[in-house]
Amino acid sequence: MYISNPRTPHPLPSTCLRKEIGNWRELTPGDTVVLLTSDKRNPRITGRVDDISDDGRYLWLLQGNGAGRRLLDRAEGYTTLLD
């Protein structure tokens, strides 16, 4: 998704407005996040944080669009953006 800004000649990716999270322990339940993946069929996963493991390795995400709850492993290399 791109947004336009009349002061810039080129559209900016909407990720420019989001804060990248380096450690999932920085998140709290209820935060809305966007996870970027290397999967070309599903490059973005969006939703609300439901829970985080104590060590920050696992994240339970309540996915948007009624896709249900999903367990994600940090080792899979997601780029996490706080929405």
Side-chain angles (χ1 to χ4, degrees), residues 7-56:
R7 295 184 203 143
T8 60
H10 305 290
L12 298 172
S14 60
T15 56
C16 292
L17 303 176
R18 296 180 171 124
K19 176 184 173 189
E20 186 171 345
I21 301 298
N23 186 331
W24 283 350
R25 288 185 293 178
E26 297 175 40
L27 297 169
T28 56
D31 283 344
T32 302
V33 295
V34 176
L35 300 170
L36 304 178
T37 73
S38 59
D39 183 354
K40 296 194 186 286
R41 292 174 291 141
N42 188 20
R44 293 169 39 116
I45 302 167
T46 61
R48 279 186 305 114
V49 174
D50 188 39
D51 202 5
I52 305 120
S53 64
D54 290 338
D55 62 0

